[in-house]
Amino acid sequence: MKMLLLGIWTLLALIPCSGTTEEIFEVSVWPNPALVKFGQSLTINCSTTCPDPGPSGIETFFKKTQLAKGPQWKEFLLEDITEDSVLQCFFSCAGVQKDAVLDITMYQPPEQVILDLQPEWVTTEEAFTVKCHVPSVAPLQSLTLTLLQGDQELHRKDFMSASAASQRAEVAVNVRAQRENDKCNFSCRAELDLSPQGGGLFHGSSATKELRIFGFPPPILEVEDAYPLAGTDVNVTCSGHVLTSPSPTLRLEGAPNLSAPGESAWLLFTAREEDDGRNLSCEASLEVQGRRLLKTTEIQLHVLYKPRFEESSCPGNQIWVEGMDQMLACIPEGNPAPALVCIWNGVIIDLDVPQKATQNHTGTYCCTATNQLGSVSKDIAVIVQGLHEGITSSTIFIIIISTLGMAVITITLYLNYQPCKRNRRKRAPRQREQNKDEESQFADIQAEECSSHYC
Protein backbone atom coordinates (compact mmCIF):
# COMPACT_ATOMS: atom_id res chain seq x y z
CA MET A 1 0.00 0.00 0.00
CA LYS A 2 2.83 2.39 0.84
CA MET A 3 4.51 1.62 -2.46
CA LEU A 4 1.26 2.44 -4.36
CA LEU A 5 0.84 5.84 -2.72
CA LEU A 6 4.49 6.70 -3.35
CA GLY A 7 4.03 5.95 -7.06
CA ILE A 8 0.97 8.21 -7.35
CA TRP A 9 2.74 11.15 -5.74
CA THR A 10 5.72 10.67 -8.01
CA LEU A 11 3.42 10.73 -11.10
CA LEU A 12 1.66 13.90 -9.98
CA ALA A 13 4.97 15.63 -9.45
CA LEU A 14 5.99 14.94 -13.07
CA ILE A 15 2.77 16.57 -14.56
CA PRO A 16 3.33 20.33 -15.37
CA CYS A 17 1.05 22.84 -13.56
CA SER A 18 -1.24 24.75 -15.98
CA GLY A 19 -1.81 27.63 -13.56
CA THR A 20 1.88 28.43 -13.66
CA THR A 21 1.80 28.71 -17.47
CA GLU A 22 -1.06 31.27 -17.35
CA GLU A 23 0.84 33.51 -15.04
CA ILE A 24 4.05 33.58 -17.03
CA PHE A 25 2.75 35.22 -20.31
CA GLU A 26 0.78 38.40 -21.15
CA VAL A 27 -1.08 39.79 -24.22
CA SER A 28 -1.08 43.50 -25.10
CA VAL A 29 -2.32 45.76 -27.92
CA TRP A 30 -1.07 49.14 -29.14
CA PRO A 31 -2.15 51.93 -29.30
CA ASN A 32 -4.50 51.84 -26.34
CA PRO A 33 -6.77 53.78 -26.30
CA ALA A 34 -7.10 54.36 -30.03
CA LEU A 35 -8.48 57.61 -31.48
CA VAL A 36 -9.36 57.57 -35.17
CA LYS A 37 -10.84 60.28 -37.40
CA PHE A 38 -14.06 59.38 -39.20
CA GLY A 39 -13.43 57.22 -42.27
CA GLN A 40 -9.69 56.86 -41.60
CA SER A 41 -7.57 53.67 -41.09
CA LEU A 42 -5.84 52.45 -37.94
CA THR A 43 -2.67 50.33 -37.58
CA ILE A 44 -2.54 48.19 -34.45
CA ASN A 45 0.09 45.87 -33.00
CA CYS A 46 -0.92 42.80 -31.06
CA SER A 47 1.91 41.10 -29.03
CA THR A 48 2.58 38.54 -26.26
CA THR A 49 5.30 37.56 -23.80
CA CYS A 50 4.81 33.86 -24.49
CA PRO A 51 8.16 32.45 -25.78
CA ASP A 52 6.45 30.01 -28.10
CA PRO A 53 2.91 31.26 -28.81
CA GLY A 54 0.25 29.21 -30.48
CA PRO A 55 -2.79 30.44 -32.48
CA SER A 56 -3.32 34.23 -32.36
CA GLY A 57 -5.21 37.06 -34.09
CA ILE A 58 -7.79 39.86 -33.66
CA GLU A 59 -11.60 39.96 -33.64
CA THR A 60 -13.30 43.02 -35.21
CA PHE A 61 -16.10 43.81 -37.65
CA PHE A 62 -13.94 46.35 -39.50
CA LYS A 63 -12.09 45.31 -42.63
CA LYS A 64 -8.65 44.09 -41.52
CA THR A 65 -5.38 43.27 -43.25
CA GLN A 66 -2.30 41.69 -41.64
CA LEU A 67 0.69 43.84 -42.45
CA ALA A 68 3.55 41.99 -40.70
CA LYS A 69 4.32 39.51 -37.97
CA GLY A 70 7.09 38.24 -35.70
CA PRO A 71 7.55 35.35 -33.29
CA GLN A 72 5.59 37.17 -30.58
CA TRP A 73 3.65 39.92 -32.45
CA LYS A 74 1.35 40.68 -35.37
CA GLU A 75 0.49 43.99 -37.07
CA PHE A 76 -2.92 44.70 -38.65
CA LEU A 77 -4.52 47.47 -40.66
CA LEU A 78 -8.18 48.40 -39.91
CA GLU A 79 -9.91 50.37 -42.69
CA ASP A 80 -12.88 52.80 -42.96
CA ILE A 81 -13.57 53.31 -39.27
CA THR A 82 -16.92 55.10 -39.03
CA GLU A 83 -18.00 54.37 -35.46
CA ASP A 84 -16.81 53.51 -31.99
CA SER A 85 -15.86 49.88 -31.50
CA VAL A 86 -14.17 47.35 -29.18
CA LEU A 87 -11.42 45.09 -30.63
CA GLN A 88 -10.04 41.89 -29.06
CA CYS A 89 -6.43 40.69 -29.55
CA PHE A 90 -5.74 37.08 -28.49
CA PHE A 91 -2.75 34.71 -28.12
CA SER A 92 -2.55 31.12 -26.87
CA CYS A 93 0.39 29.68 -24.96
CA ALA A 94 0.76 26.00 -23.97
CA GLY A 95 -2.88 25.43 -24.69
CA VAL A 96 -4.05 28.49 -22.75
CA GLN A 97 -5.60 31.56 -24.50
CA LYS A 98 -5.42 35.13 -23.30
CA ASP A 99 -6.78 38.30 -24.90
CA ALA A 100 -6.49 42.08 -24.62
CA VAL A 101 -9.30 44.60 -25.29
CA LEU A 102 -8.82 47.78 -27.35
CA ASP A 103 -11.34 50.67 -27.18
CA ILE A 104 -11.51 52.44 -30.56
CA THR A 105 -13.03 55.96 -30.46
CA MET A 106 -14.07 57.54 -33.75
CA TYR A 107 -14.03 61.36 -33.82
CA GLN A 108 -15.24 63.94 -36.32
CA PRO A 109 -14.09 67.56 -35.90
CA PRO A 110 -16.63 70.41 -36.19
CA GLU A 111 -15.59 71.34 -39.70
CA GLN A 112 -18.98 72.87 -40.64
CA VAL A 113 -20.65 75.22 -38.16
CA ILE A 114 -23.88 76.90 -39.34
CA LEU A 115 -25.46 80.00 -37.76
CA ASP A 116 -29.02 81.07 -38.50
CA LEU A 117 -30.87 84.27 -37.54
CA GLN A 118 -34.66 83.98 -37.67
CA PRO A 119 -35.56 86.52 -38.96
CA GLU A 120 -32.57 88.60 -40.01
CA TRP A 121 -34.73 91.78 -40.11
CA VAL A 122 -36.76 92.57 -36.99
CA THR A 123 -38.57 95.52 -35.47
CA THR A 124 -37.57 97.03 -32.15
CA GLU A 125 -38.79 94.90 -29.20
CA GLU A 126 -39.54 92.00 -31.55
CA ALA A 127 -38.11 88.60 -30.55
CA PHE A 128 -35.67 86.85 -32.86
CA THR A 129 -33.86 83.51 -32.62
CA VAL A 130 -30.12 82.86 -32.80
CA LYS A 131 -29.58 79.22 -33.74
CA CYS A 132 -26.37 77.23 -34.32
CA HIS A 133 -25.95 73.63 -35.41
CA VAL A 134 -23.11 71.34 -36.49
CA PRO A 135 -24.24 68.75 -39.07
CA SER A 136 -21.44 66.19 -38.37
CA VAL A 137 -19.45 65.99 -35.15
CA ALA A 138 -18.34 63.18 -32.82
CA PRO A 139 -18.18 62.29 -30.06
CA LEU A 140 -21.09 64.56 -29.17
CA GLN A 141 -20.36 64.35 -25.44
CA SER A 142 -17.04 66.16 -26.02
CA LEU A 143 -18.65 69.12 -27.88
CA THR A 144 -19.35 72.65 -26.63
CA LEU A 145 -21.24 75.29 -28.67
CA THR A 146 -21.01 78.99 -27.84
CA LEU A 147 -23.19 81.74 -29.34
CA LEU A 148 -21.48 85.12 -29.64
CA GLN A 149 -22.88 88.63 -30.08
CA GLY A 150 -19.88 90.50 -31.35
CA ASP A 151 -17.14 89.49 -28.90
CA GLN A 152 -19.55 88.89 -26.03
CA GLU A 153 -20.70 85.42 -25.07
CA LEU A 154 -24.45 85.19 -25.52
CA HIS A 155 -25.07 81.53 -24.61
CA ARG A 156 -23.06 78.34 -24.07
CA LYS A 157 -24.15 74.70 -24.21
CA ASP A 158 -22.30 71.40 -23.68
CA PHE A 159 -23.48 67.90 -24.53
CA MET A 160 -21.92 65.86 -21.74
CA SER A 161 -25.31 64.44 -20.78
CA ALA A 162 -26.32 63.65 -24.37
CA SER A 163 -27.09 60.02 -25.11
CA ALA A 164 -24.71 58.00 -27.23
CA ALA A 165 -27.41 57.56 -29.86
CA SER A 166 -27.99 61.33 -30.18
CA GLN A 167 -26.31 62.93 -33.20
CA ARG A 168 -28.02 66.35 -33.18
CA ALA A 169 -25.66 69.11 -32.16
CA GLU A 170 -27.53 72.42 -31.96
CA VAL A 171 -28.19 75.34 -29.66
CA ALA A 172 -30.79 78.12 -29.89
CA VAL A 173 -31.66 81.18 -27.83
CA ASN A 174 -34.42 83.80 -28.14
CA VAL A 175 -33.44 87.47 -27.91
CA ARG A 176 -35.59 90.63 -27.86
CA ALA A 177 -34.31 93.21 -30.33
CA GLN A 178 -33.15 96.58 -29.08
CA ARG A 179 -32.33 99.63 -31.15
CA GLU A 180 -28.62 99.28 -30.32
CA ASN A 181 -28.59 95.76 -31.79
CA ASP A 182 -28.88 97.14 -35.32
CA LYS A 183 -26.04 95.89 -37.55
CA CYS A 184 -24.72 93.73 -34.71
CA ASN A 185 -22.75 90.61 -35.75
CA PHE A 186 -23.63 87.17 -34.41
CA SER A 187 -21.50 84.03 -34.70
CA CYS A 188 -21.09 80.53 -33.28
CA ARG A 189 -17.97 78.76 -31.99
CA ALA A 190 -17.66 74.96 -31.68
CA GLU A 191 -15.05 73.16 -29.57
CA LEU A 192 -14.39 69.40 -29.54
CA ASP A 193 -12.18 68.50 -26.56
CA LEU A 194 -10.60 65.03 -26.94
CA SER A 195 -7.89 65.44 -24.32
CA PRO A 196 -9.54 62.89 -21.98
CA GLN A 197 -9.23 60.31 -24.81
CA GLY A 198 -5.63 61.22 -25.47
CA GLY A 199 -6.37 63.61 -28.31
CA GLY A 200 -6.33 67.37 -28.73
CA LEU A 201 -8.76 70.29 -28.91
CA PHE A 202 -10.52 70.96 -32.24
CA HIS A 203 -12.13 74.32 -33.09
CA GLY A 204 -14.75 75.36 -35.62
CA SER A 205 -16.51 78.70 -36.26
CA SER A 206 -19.48 79.84 -38.27
CA ALA A 207 -19.66 82.75 -40.64
CA THR A 208 -20.90 85.94 -38.99
CA LYS A 209 -24.40 87.23 -39.69
CA GLU A 210 -25.59 90.81 -39.33
CA LEU A 211 -28.88 91.62 -37.63
CA ARG A 212 -30.87 94.51 -39.09
CA ILE A 213 -33.35 96.32 -36.87
CA PHE A 214 -35.88 98.79 -38.30
CA GLY A 215 -37.67 100.91 -35.81
CA PHE A 216 -40.98 100.92 -37.59
CA PRO A 217 -43.26 103.19 -35.50
CA PRO A 218 -46.57 104.58 -36.85
CA PRO A 219 -46.31 107.58 -39.20
CA ILE A 220 -46.61 111.15 -37.92
CA LEU A 221 -49.91 112.80 -38.88
CA GLU A 222 -50.12 116.57 -38.40
CA VAL A 223 -53.16 118.84 -38.89
CA GLU A 224 -52.49 122.55 -38.94
CA ASP A 225 -55.72 123.15 -37.02
CA ALA A 226 -57.69 120.19 -35.66
CA TYR A 227 -60.60 122.56 -34.76
CA PRO A 228 -61.08 124.65 -37.92
CA LEU A 229 -64.01 126.97 -38.62
CA ALA A 230 -66.33 125.87 -41.38
CA GLY A 231 -65.22 127.45 -44.66
CA THR A 232 -61.53 127.69 -43.73
CA ASP A 233 -58.67 125.66 -45.25
CA VAL A 234 -57.27 122.56 -43.53
CA ASN A 235 -53.66 121.56 -44.19
CA VAL A 236 -52.78 117.90 -43.40
CA THR A 237 -49.26 116.41 -43.55
CA CYS A 238 -48.14 112.79 -43.05
CA SER A 239 -44.47 111.86 -42.69
CA GLY A 240 -42.42 108.85 -41.66
CA HIS A 241 -40.89 108.66 -38.19
CA VAL A 242 -37.22 109.57 -37.93
CA LEU A 243 -36.47 106.09 -36.51
CA THR A 244 -38.05 104.33 -39.46
CA SER A 245 -35.45 102.53 -41.57
CA PRO A 246 -35.65 101.95 -44.47
CA SER A 247 -38.03 104.72 -45.54
CA PRO A 248 -41.72 103.69 -45.75
CA THR A 249 -44.31 104.51 -48.40
CA LEU A 250 -47.11 106.77 -47.13
CA ARG A 251 -50.77 106.87 -48.16
CA LEU A 252 -52.85 109.79 -46.83
CA GLU A 253 -56.62 109.41 -47.02
CA GLY A 254 -58.05 111.83 -49.58
CA ALA A 255 -54.67 112.66 -51.10
CA PRO A 256 -54.67 112.32 -54.90
CA ASN A 257 -51.36 110.43 -55.18
CA LEU A 258 -49.27 107.87 -53.32
CA SER A 259 -46.04 109.37 -51.97
CA ALA A 260 -42.64 108.06 -53.02
CA PRO A 261 -40.58 106.22 -50.35
CA GLY A 262 -39.06 108.74 -47.97
CA GLU A 263 -41.36 111.60 -49.04
CA SER A 264 -44.20 113.12 -47.01
CA ALA A 265 -47.83 113.08 -48.10
CA TRP A 266 -50.02 116.18 -47.82
CA LEU A 267 -53.64 117.20 -48.32
CA LEU A 268 -55.33 120.63 -48.50
CA PHE A 269 -59.13 121.01 -48.36
CA THR A 270 -61.82 123.44 -47.19
CA ALA A 271 -63.58 122.41 -44.00
CA ARG A 272 -67.33 121.89 -44.24
CA GLU A 273 -69.89 121.33 -41.53
CA GLU A 274 -70.24 117.75 -42.83
CA ASP A 275 -66.54 117.16 -42.04
CA ASP A 276 -67.16 117.46 -38.32
CA GLY A 277 -66.13 114.13 -36.77
CA ARG A 278 -64.27 113.01 -39.90
CA ASN A 279 -61.29 110.70 -39.28
CA LEU A 280 -58.11 111.62 -41.11
CA SER A 281 -55.76 108.65 -41.50
CA CYS A 282 -52.29 107.99 -42.86
CA GLU A 283 -50.94 104.50 -43.61
CA ALA A 284 -47.23 103.69 -43.78
CA SER A 285 -46.13 100.51 -45.56
CA LEU A 286 -42.71 98.88 -45.50
CA GLU A 287 -41.43 95.93 -47.55
CA VAL A 288 -38.92 93.87 -45.53
CA GLN A 289 -37.60 90.44 -46.54
CA GLY A 290 -40.70 89.70 -48.58
CA ARG A 291 -43.03 90.84 -45.79
CA ARG A 292 -45.29 93.90 -46.16
CA LEU A 293 -45.73 95.72 -42.85
CA LEU A 294 -48.42 98.34 -42.21
CA LYS A 295 -48.80 101.04 -39.52
CA THR A 296 -51.65 103.61 -39.35
CA THR A 297 -52.17 106.91 -37.51
CA GLU A 298 -55.58 108.62 -37.23
CA ILE A 299 -56.75 112.07 -36.12
CA GLN A 300 -60.38 113.15 -35.77
CA LEU A 301 -61.34 116.53 -37.23
CA HIS A 302 -63.69 118.83 -35.31
CA VAL A 303 -65.23 121.51 -37.54
CA LEU A 304 -66.66 124.51 -35.66
CA TYR A 305 -69.81 126.21 -37.00
CA LYS A 306 -72.64 128.46 -35.83
CA PRO A 307 -75.93 127.01 -34.56
CA ARG A 308 -78.73 126.27 -36.99
CA PHE A 309 -82.18 124.64 -36.98
CA GLU A 310 -83.05 121.88 -39.44
CA GLU A 311 -86.71 121.22 -40.18
CA SER A 312 -86.14 117.48 -39.68
CA SER A 313 -84.84 117.91 -36.13
CA CYS A 314 -86.87 121.00 -35.19
CA PRO A 315 -90.23 121.15 -37.10
CA GLY A 316 -91.81 124.59 -37.34
CA ASN A 317 -95.34 123.16 -36.90
CA GLN A 318 -96.11 120.58 -34.25
CA ILE A 319 -99.46 118.98 -33.27
CA TRP A 320 -100.09 117.81 -29.74
CA VAL A 321 -103.00 115.62 -28.58
CA GLU A 322 -105.00 116.93 -25.66
CA GLY A 323 -104.57 114.93 -22.49
CA MET A 324 -101.35 113.21 -23.65
CA ASP A 325 -97.84 113.80 -22.24
CA GLN A 326 -96.06 115.96 -24.80
CA MET A 327 -92.61 117.55 -25.26
CA LEU A 328 -91.47 120.23 -27.65
CA ALA A 329 -89.34 118.54 -30.35
CA CYS A 330 -86.33 120.73 -31.20
CA ILE A 331 -82.67 119.75 -31.46
CA PRO A 332 -80.33 122.39 -32.90
CA GLU A 333 -77.19 121.71 -34.94
CA GLY A 334 -73.82 123.33 -34.24
CA ASN A 335 -70.27 122.80 -32.95
CA PRO A 336 -69.60 123.35 -30.12
CA ALA A 337 -72.97 121.89 -29.15
CA PRO A 338 -75.27 124.90 -28.68
CA ALA A 339 -77.36 125.61 -25.60
CA LEU A 340 -81.13 125.74 -26.31
CA VAL A 341 -83.66 128.01 -24.62
CA CYS A 342 -87.38 127.98 -25.55
CA ILE A 343 -89.86 130.62 -24.33
CA TRP A 344 -93.68 130.41 -24.29
CA ASN A 345 -95.81 133.31 -23.06
CA GLY A 346 -92.70 134.94 -21.61
CA VAL A 347 -91.78 131.83 -19.58
CA ILE A 348 -88.78 129.53 -20.17
CA ILE A 349 -90.02 125.95 -20.48
CA ASP A 350 -88.14 122.82 -19.46
CA LEU A 351 -87.56 120.80 -22.62
CA ASP A 352 -86.59 117.66 -20.70
CA VAL A 353 -89.82 117.33 -18.70
CA PRO A 354 -92.99 116.17 -20.53
CA GLN A 355 -96.26 117.97 -19.74
CA LYS A 356 -99.89 116.99 -20.14
CA ALA A 357 -101.18 118.87 -23.16
CA THR A 358 -104.21 121.20 -22.82
CA GLN A 359 -105.81 123.72 -25.13
CA ASN A 360 -103.86 126.42 -23.26
CA HIS A 361 -100.60 125.07 -24.72
CA THR A 362 -101.65 126.14 -28.18
CA GLY A 363 -99.50 128.98 -29.40
CA THR A 364 -96.10 130.01 -30.71
CA TYR A 365 -92.90 128.99 -28.96
CA CYS A 366 -89.62 130.84 -29.59
CA CYS A 367 -86.46 128.71 -29.38
CA THR A 368 -82.91 130.17 -29.41
CA ALA A 369 -79.70 128.12 -29.86
CA THR A 370 -76.38 129.66 -28.80
CA ASN A 371 -72.69 128.64 -28.87
CA GLN A 372 -69.38 130.52 -28.89
CA LEU A 373 -69.79 131.35 -32.59
CA GLY A 374 -73.24 132.92 -32.46
CA SER A 375 -76.94 132.28 -31.98
CA VAL A 376 -80.08 131.61 -34.02
CA SER A 377 -83.82 131.69 -33.20
CA LYS A 378 -86.86 129.89 -34.59
CA ASP A 379 -90.62 130.14 -33.96
CA ILE A 380 -92.50 126.88 -33.51
CA ALA A 381 -96.31 126.82 -33.86
CA VAL A 382 -97.99 124.26 -31.58
CA ILE A 383 -101.63 123.19 -32.07
CA VAL A 384 -103.39 121.08 -29.44
CA GLN A 385 -106.19 118.92 -30.86
CA GLY A 386 -108.92 117.23 -28.86
CA LEU A 387 -109.14 113.46 -28.89
CA HIS A 388 -112.65 113.56 -30.63
CA GLU A 389 -111.18 115.54 -33.53
CA GLY A 390 -108.98 112.66 -34.39
CA ILE A 391 -111.91 110.21 -34.31
CA THR A 392 -114.12 112.48 -36.50
CA SER A 393 -111.44 112.83 -39.07
CA SER A 394 -111.03 109.08 -39.22
CA THR A 395 -114.74 108.55 -39.69
CA ILE A 396 -114.91 111.09 -42.54
CA PHE A 397 -111.96 109.41 -44.21
CA ILE A 398 -113.72 106.02 -44.11
CA ILE A 399 -116.93 107.49 -45.58
CA ILE A 400 -115.02 109.12 -48.44
CA ILE A 401 -113.24 105.87 -49.27
CA SER A 402 -116.53 103.91 -49.21
CA THR A 403 -118.26 106.43 -51.53
CA LEU A 404 -115.42 106.32 -54.03
CA GLY A 405 -115.58 102.53 -54.01
CA MET A 406 -119.31 102.45 -54.82
CA ALA A 407 -118.83 104.95 -57.65
CA VAL A 408 -116.14 102.80 -59.23
CA ILE A 409 -118.38 99.69 -59.07
CA THR A 410 -121.35 101.55 -60.68
CA ILE A 411 -119.27 102.87 -63.56
CA THR A 412 -117.85 99.41 -64.22
CA LEU A 413 -121.31 97.83 -64.41
CA TYR A 414 -122.50 100.53 -66.78
CA LEU A 415 -119.62 100.12 -69.17
CA ASN A 416 -120.05 96.34 -69.24
CA TYR A 417 -123.84 96.46 -69.90
CA GLN A 418 -124.60 95.21 -73.44
CA PRO A 419 -127.24 97.05 -75.58
CA CYS A 420 -130.43 95.22 -76.26
CA LYS A 421 -129.88 95.36 -80.03
CA ARG A 422 -126.78 93.24 -79.66
CA ASN A 423 -128.86 90.68 -77.75
CA ARG A 424 -131.43 90.56 -80.56
CA ARG A 425 -128.72 89.82 -83.16
CA LYS A 426 -127.44 86.97 -81.07
CA ARG A 427 -130.78 85.22 -80.81
CA ALA A 428 -131.39 82.10 -82.91
CA PRO A 429 -133.20 82.79 -86.27
CA ARG A 430 -136.81 82.00 -86.32
CA GLN A 431 -138.46 79.68 -88.82
CA ARG A 432 -138.98 81.25 -92.19
CA GLU A 433 -142.43 79.69 -92.29
CA GLN A 434 -143.76 82.14 -89.64
CA ASN A 435 -145.98 84.78 -91.13
CA LYS A 436 -145.41 88.47 -90.89
CA ASP A 437 -148.04 88.84 -88.17
CA GLU A 438 -146.06 86.54 -85.90
CA GLU A 439 -142.80 88.45 -86.61
CA SER A 440 -144.51 91.74 -85.77
CA GLN A 441 -145.83 90.26 -82.54
CA PHE A 442 -142.27 89.02 -81.64
CA ALA A 443 -140.85 92.52 -82.28
CA ASP A 444 -143.44 94.04 -79.96
CA ILE A 445 -142.47 91.62 -77.23
CA GLN A 446 -138.77 92.53 -77.65
CA ALA A 447 -139.62 96.23 -77.46
CA GLU A 448 -141.52 95.72 -74.23
CA GLU A 449 -138.61 93.71 -72.83
CA CYS A 450 -136.08 96.47 -73.67
CA SER A 451 -138.41 99.06 -72.17
CA SER A 452 -138.56 97.13 -68.91
CA HIS A 453 -134.65 97.10 -68.72
CA TYR A 454 -134.21 100.84 -69.42
CA CYS A 455 -132.70 100.06 -72.80
Side-chain angles (χ1 to χ4, degrees), residues 21-22 24-25 48 50-55 91-98:
T21 306
E22 292 180 6
I24 63 174
F25 85 97
T48 182
C50 179
D52 187 18
F91 273 93
S92 61
C93 186
V96 177
Q97 179 176 308
K98 275 190 174 183

Side-chain angles (χ1 to χ4, degrees), residues 194-379:
L194 299 178
S195 54
Q197 293 91 343
L201 181 64
F202 297 88
H203 295 277
S205 296
S206 71
T208 59
K209 286 202 171 182
E210 185 182 71
L211 180 71
R212 292 305 311 271
I213 296 180
F214 51 100
F216 180 38
I220 299 174
L221 184 60
E222 298 175 307
V223 181
E224 188 175 5
D225 185 3
Y227 292 83
L229 291 173
T232 60
D233 289 339
V234 178
N235 192 6
V236 185
T237 305
C238 179
S239 56
H241 199 280
V242 291
L243 295 179
T244 304
S245 176
S247 298
T249 300
L250 303 173
R251 182 187 297 274
L252 179 60
E253 180 202 3
N257 299 314
L258 188 69
S259 70
E263 294 184 0
S264 299
W266 60 273
L267 175 65
L268 179 65
F269 66 95
T270 300
R272 303 170 301 168
E273 295 180 7
E274 296 81 2
D275 292 324
D276 184 38
R278 173 183 173 183
N279 286 327
L280 302 172
S281 67
C282 181
E283 178 186 82
S285 63
L286 196 63
E287 190 82 18
V288 178
Q289 295 289 297
R291 293 189 302 165
R292 186 168 181 264
L293 307 176
L294 298 175
K295 291 290 181 69
T296 303
T297 300
E298 290 187 350
I299 292 181
Q300 190 174 54
L301 190 67
H302 303 277
V303 179
L304 305 179
Y305 56 96
K306 295 179 180 180
R308 70 168 186 267
F309 290 107
E310 296 288 346
E311 185 64 20
S312 58
S313 56
C314 188
N317 295 288
Q318 301 183 25
I319 297 177
W320 292 3
V321 179
E322 187 177 12
M324 305 292 291
D325 288 340
Q326 302 287 331
M327 294 177 62
L328 193 67
C330 187
I331 301 176
E333 303 289 335
N335 190 27
L340 180 65
V341 176
C342 292
I343 299 176
W344 175 63
N345 289 337
V347 178
I348 297 176
I349 63 173
D350 191 344
L351 297 176
D352 297 325
V353 178
Q355 49 190 330
K356 195 174 294 295
T358 66
Q359 291 295 330
N360 293 333
H361 289 107
T362 299
T364 300
Y365 294 73
C366 180
C367 291
T368 302
T370 305
N371 66 8
Q372 292 89 326
L373 303 178
S375 63
V376 64
S377 298
K378 182 175 182 178
D379 290 337

Side-chain angles (χ1 to χ4, degrees), residues 78-91:
L78 305 181
E79 300 181 63
D80 195 21
I81 297 176
T82 57
E83 58 182 294
D84 295 346
S85 178
V86 176
L87 177 144
Q88 285 186 327
C89 172
F90 65 90
F91 273 93

Side-chain angles (χ1 to χ4, degrees), residues 115-130:
L115 179 75
D116 189 21
L117 293 180
Q118 301 175 351
E120 294 184 13
W121 285 73
V122 292
T123 59
T124 305
E125 296 299 326
E126 181 182 359
F128 65 98
T129 302
V130 185

